[in-house]
Amino acid sequence: MSGTRRIVVIICLTVATLLMAGGGLAVAEAAARRVETPAPGSGVNPRGESGVMAVVPMTTATVTPTPLPPPRITRFYLSARPNGAAVTTFPSGTDVVYVNYEYELYDAYTITVELQDADGGVFFHSERREKDSGATMLEVTPQIAFDTYHQKAASDADTMAEQIALALTAPSQSILREYVYGALGAGTDLGVILQQLVRYTPPSAIPALATAIGALNDAQAEGAAAVAQGTSLASAQEHVRAMNTAVARMRTALDAVRAAGRDPSANTLPGTEQEPNLAVIRIGPYPVQSIDWTVLNPPVYQHLAAPLRANLPAQRSVLVLTNLDNSAAQLLIRYYAEGALTLLGTQTITLAPRESTSLVMGEGNALPFGAVGYALVTGDQPFSMAVRTVTLPPTATPTVTTTPTATATGPTPTRTATLVPATPTATATSVTPTATLCPQATPEQLTVEPLTSPTNLITQTVTVRIGNGDAVTVTTEAGVFVATGDFGYYGNPAQLTVGLAPNTTNHLTVSAHVRQMGGSGCIYGGYTLTTTTDRTGAPLVIVQQGGPTATATATREAAVATDTPTATASATATATATATATATPSPTQTPTPTLTPTPTPITVALLPAPQAVGYVTSRYKTSNMFGNPIWAGVDTWPSPPTILDGAVQFDLGALPPDAKIVSAQLVLMGMSRTYIDPGTDGTWRLNLLNSSVDMNWTQLNYYQIHNAGVRATSPTVLTVADLAPGKQNVFDLTTVVGALQERLRTTGRASFRINLDSSYGNGRTIFGWDAQPMLRITYTR
């Protein structure tokens, strides 16, 4: 049999065998085989014959692609001239900065470059599609900054208008509130931009810019009123309509400022020696590098405030100025008539480091009584400025008392009504026929329904009956819990859900404030009653035992604070004269009780809104995980590592505006160590973030929170040894009190970030706290 025929026979026999043994799969496998014959002269068959056959599988070559190297920015720097040396400090008057970067990408990527001012506002933004390797140079000028600020201002104004339009058609109050919050968030960003535009606006357009700022302030005030606690849907809608009118006025004024163009003399970029800028470069959404840089412009700071109004019915505008620096600030205030360049007058203010002052318009300053205008404040140190409209206290009126007068003819005294003069040196005069003697009021009743004790629950609802009450406070070992409303003794008692300290005997102190009432010169109420017993006389004590670990907090509704400080119980302070007959013709004795309140430290427990607490993660950089427990740490197993930052915001609006914060703590309750691997460690810190994140907190994402500027940091440092489920972690905020006081006067919110910042090992170092952190603040008034 020849060699060729022998090969054919072998192939046929092989196919037949495979068909019988393996069916269709065998056919496929057989088809993928080939026969190899040793090459002549290979030594296997010296004669070159094909008597030795080898059947080997036919395989398809698998090509393993070589992974592309990661995209890289190999160099990122700023220069003062094209192709110049890298610098980060530019002389005063710099009108152009060159941004340079070199890259190795091996594929197409979007490279984003942003320049931010000291307030975090972006005044230059570039997105370029780059590929392979190369270098790019970008030119930044004041005109670009001017245009960028105006584009962002227009965008924020449009966002406000869109959110307001949605709020006007909202079918419920909760939906209306969400849209209003969205408008307020855009308004906060816009307010920062408008202050930057002062730098570039020509003098002729300053009145229009002041009008825009004033209209924005009006819109924000109406928005705050729309979402205020206790506002009805109908009233909220009225405020939103007023907000819409103010925003329309603001947009018209912004168009006028834009049309005026850039002031030709404003030929420098943002920045001073004390206000560095930030340059950031990203590949896609991922940050690569940032550079602090500054233009050494003179350290002069300007803020424009509007509107300032005097002669409002029982109200005034108040200009609040705060020195943010550690050295004294000299501030020059120039008052202008609204809508014109008429200078009404000037005022000079010196503020000590971190000092704040309030100026009431029309009272001792250059804005005359009855005027409406704005102020341009210039300082040599960083400062903040806010405008408030407050109700002024009523003017003092004489108080009516009774003076007993004894006569020689009999023991019965005769009561003669007299006026107690406002000054001690004045003599008493007879009462005119219009004087009114106010009858003595009967103190209201305060009782507390019996409590349940012992209990394994971590909260309990306390029922408090108080006549004509407007605020009730319950203090336990777990904190202070306050409810406000229109409470009665027989109907609508106050009901507070209070937190209980775990495995502890909780002693409750209940205080109730009686609202001030009356008219025609007779004022009643306005005092506080306190008790530590229930209506049966039993002590207000709750023993918490055997239950789950308490979080030391109750519901958010139970932690809403009130303006009224807790005080000891007192009845009406009405003087009662006691007459004593004597032989002296006209002895007169007038007891004049004087109540001098001593500032009493008040501690309140604030809880965050459910959607204001949670975390952000680098796995989902354009969103947040609010409405969840707090997680913070790092997982190094993925590449790049996954970062989690805890985040929580507290509303400070529950504190009275004149509160003087003494101390503060942020309390967290440990929940889970599941994601802490053995051998890992780290340090967790708590940071109060810059106010720029306060107003649109719930819309922020990982990038914005992770990269947010820090206003102050708690000195407390936590390590793995400090963390355990059911264990309280307390961050001391005593050194942050000044920053919290500043927030109370400005945004009314405090936004915190909790993050792992150093020394973590290989693996997971992530800890979880529950979703009810508590901000405990002690203040006086």
Side-chain angles (χ1 to χ4, degrees):
M1 183 180 295
S2 68
T4 301
R5 294 183 61 193
R6 186 176 298 166
I7 292 173
V8 172
V9 170
I10 291 173
I11 292 175
C12 292
L13 290 174
T14 302
V15 171
T17 303
L18 291 172
L19 287 173
M20 290 187 292
L25 178 60
V27 172
E29 292 177 349
R33 289 174 175 268
R34 61 187 173 87
V35 177
E36 290 191 355
T37 303
S42 64
V44 175
N45 189 349
R47 294 186 300 272
E49 297 178 357
S50 56
V52 178
M53 301 298 171
V55 180
V56 298
M58 174 78 80
T59 59
T60 302
T62 302
V63 179
T64 303
T66 302
L68 292 175
R72 291 195 307 150
I73 299 295
T74 57
R75 194 177 182 209
F76 178 49
Y77 65 98
L78 287 77
S79 62
R81 61 182 186 274
N83 303 314
V87 294
T88 57
T89 302
F90 297 84
S92 177
T94 295
D95 60 356
V96 61
V97 164
Y98 298 93
V99 181
N100 308 270
Y101 62 88
E102 299 170 6
Y103 53 89
E104 293 177 357
L105 303 177
Y106 306 103
D107 202 350
Y109 290 90
T110 298
I111 305 300
T112 301
V113 173
E114 289 183 342
L115 302 186
Q116 302 174 9
D117 56 40
D119 293 321
V122 175
F123 63 88
F124 175 81
H125 180 93
S126 167
E127 290 186 6
R128 291 173 58 93
R129 194 73 170 169
E130 309 280 22
K131 189 177 182 181
D132 301 325
S133 300
T136 297
M137 183 182 69
L138 307 171
E139 184 178 290
V140 184
T141 65
Q143 184 64 45
I144 291 175
F146 173 82
D147 292 337
T148 303
Y149 280 133
H150 272 288
Q151 290 167 7
K152 186 65 170 66
S155 175
D156 286 338
D158 289 344
T159 299
M160 289 189 73
E162 291 167 2
Q163 295 294 304
I164 291 170
L166 292 169
L168 288 172
T169 59
S172 68
Q173 194 160 6
S174 61
I175 296 176
L176 177 145
R177 287 169 64 90
E178 288 301 318
Y179 289 134
V180 172
Y181 276 128
L184 290 175
T188 299
D189 294 340
L190 178 56
V192 175
I193 292 171
L194 294 185
Q195 294 296 349
Q196 283 289 346
L197 281 174
V198 178
R199 181 194 308 268
Y200 297 107
T201 300
S204 61
I206 285 290
L209 182 59
T211 299
I213 294 175
L216 175 61
N217 289 349
D218 289 344
Q220 290 175 313
E222 294 292 346
V227 298
Q229 186 177 9
T231 303
S232 67
L233 177 58
S235 179
Q237 290 170 335
E238 286 297 323
H239 287 298
V240 173
R241 279 189 280 272
M243 192 180 185
N244 189 48
T245 300
V247 168
R249 179 169 172 249
M250 177 192 69
R251 295 171 83 181
T252 300
L254 280 178
D255 290 342
V257 177
R258 183 73 174 100
R262 180 174 63 89
D263 183 359
S265 63
N267 58 353
T268 185
L269 291 167
T272 74
E273 186 173 1
Q274 294 172 289
E275 284 189 335
N277 299 318
L278 184 68
V280 179
I281 189 167
R282 299 194 300 264
I283 299 177
Y286 302 100
V288 177
Q289 186 181 348
S290 62
I291 300 173
D292 284 314
W293 64 284
T294 185
V295 179
L296 297 179
N297 294 322
V300 176
Y301 306 87
Q302 291 189 110
H303 293 289
L304 187 61
L308 300 177
R309 298 181 177 126
N311 201 26
L312 297 173
Q315 291 183 326
R316 294 288 186 276
S317 292
V318 177
L319 192 63
V320 182
L321 300 169
T322 304
N323 176 14
L324 301 177
D325 207 68
N326 292 321
S327 57
Q330 304 292 329
L331 304 182
L332 173 65
I333 309 172
R334 283 169 283 181
Y335 295 95
Y336 294 89
E338 186 180 37
L341 281 176
T342 305
L343 181 64
L344 301 175
T346 62
Q347 185 176 6
T348 302
I349 297 290
T350 301
L351 292 180
R354 302 292 171 178
E355 183 185 5
S356 180
T357 188
S358 298
L359 306 176
V360 181
M361 296 301 101
E363 294 187 3
N365 47 56
L367 190 71
F369 187 80
V372 178
Y374 59 90
L376 180 62
V377 185
T378 303
D380 62 349
Q381 302 290 345
F383 70 95
S384 69
M385 182 170 67
V387 178
R388 288 183 177 178
T389 300
V390 298
T391 301
L392 297 181
T395 56
T397 56
T399 58
V400 179
T401 63
T402 57
T403 303
T405 302
T407 64
T409 57
T412 305
T414 303
R415 297 198 301 172
T416 303
T418 61
L419 289 176
V420 178
T423 58
T425 57
T427 58
T429 58
S430 299
V431 155
T432 61
T434 58
T436 303
L437 295 179
C438 298
Q440 183 171 344
T442 301
E444 298 289 350
Q445 297 184 70
L446 169 66
T447 61
V448 181
E449 293 299 314
L451 305 173
T452 301
S453 180
T455 180
N456 64 352
L457 301 178
I458 61 173
T459 64
Q460 186 166 144
T461 300
V462 179
T463 301
V464 181
R465 300 186 181 276
I466 174 65
N468 292 307
D470 59 7
V472 174
T473 303
V474 178
T475 304
T476 75
E477 275 72 5
V480 179
F481 306 90
V482 183
T484 58
D486 185 8
F487 306 126
Y489 186 84
Y490 296 102
N492 193 34
Q495 293 187 310
L496 291 81
T497 302
V498 303
L500 304 175
N503 301 311
T504 299
T505 299
N506 290 263
H507 302 83
L508 279 64
T509 299
V510 177
S511 300
H513 183 262
V514 178
R515 75 174 60 87
Q516 186 170 290
M517 302 165 288
S520 302
C522 297
I523 304 298
Y524 302 102
Y527 56 87
T528 301
L529 300 175
T530 302
T531 184
T532 56
T533 59
D534 65 19
R535 61 177 172 79
T536 68
L540 293 175
V541 174
I542 302 176
V543 177
Q544 202 288 332
Q545 60 185 18
T549 305
T551 63
T553 58
T555 61
R556 174 175 171 78
E557 289 76 11
V560 176
T562 177
D563 305 300
T564 307
T566 305
T568 55
S570 62
T572 54
T574 305
T576 304
T578 304
T580 304
T582 67
T584 305
S586 58
T588 303
Q589 188 175 9
T590 305
T592 306
T594 302
L595 299 178
T596 304
T598 301
T600 302
I602 306 160
T603 301
V604 297
L606 304 179
L607 303 180
Q611 293 304 316
V613 59
Y615 68 98
V616 292
T617 171
S618 59
R619 290 188 62 186
Y620 306 101
K621 296 180 174 62
T622 59
S623 61
N624 64 54
M625 302 297 170
F626 287 171
N628 288 286
I630 294 174
W631 293 93
V634 174
D635 181 359
T636 65
W637 293 124
S639 180
T642 299
I643 301 171
L644 287 81
D645 291 340
V648 58
Q649 184 185 81
F650 296 90
D651 187 344
L652 303 179
L655 299 177
D658 60 347
K660 298 176 182 176
I661 301 176
V662 177
S663 64
Q665 297 174 322
L666 194 147
V667 183
L668 299 171
M669 182 61 66
M671 183 187 69
S672 173
R673 298 178 51 103
T674 302
Y675 301 108
I676 294 183
D677 293 339
T680 60
D681 202 348
T683 55
W684 282 263
R685 292 186 179 273
L686 175 73
N687 298 298
L688 174 66
L689 302 180
N690 286 345
S691 60
S692 59
V693 303
D694 285 348
M695 297 309 293
N696 58 340
W697 178 252
T698 57
Q699 280 78 47
L700 300 184
N701 58 34
Y702 169 81
Y703 278 123
Q704 294 162 316
I705 292 178
H706 182 74
N707 297 312
V710 174
R711 176 65 178 84
T713 300
S714 166
T716 304
V717 176
L718 300 180
T719 66
V720 167
D722 301 314
L723 307 177
K727 180 179 179 180
Q728 275 192 358
N729 295 125
V730 180
F731 285 96
D732 178 28
L733 298 177
T734 302
T735 59
V736 187
V737 162
L740 289 174
Q741 190 77 54
E742 173 190 317
R743 293 300 172 81
L744 178 61
R745 291 191 302 266
T746 54
T747 66
R749 293 171 172 82
S751 306
F752 294 91
R753 182 181 70 216
I754 306 159
N755 54 271
L756 182 70
D757 65 353
S758 65
S759 304
Y760 49 84
N762 244 354
R764 299 175 302 179
T765 311
I766 303 171
F767 188 73
W769 292 271
D770 71 16
Q772 284 194 322
M774 177 175 63
L775 181 60
R776 186 183 292 140
I777 294 180
T778 300
Y779 69 92
T780 60
R781 299 183 67 182

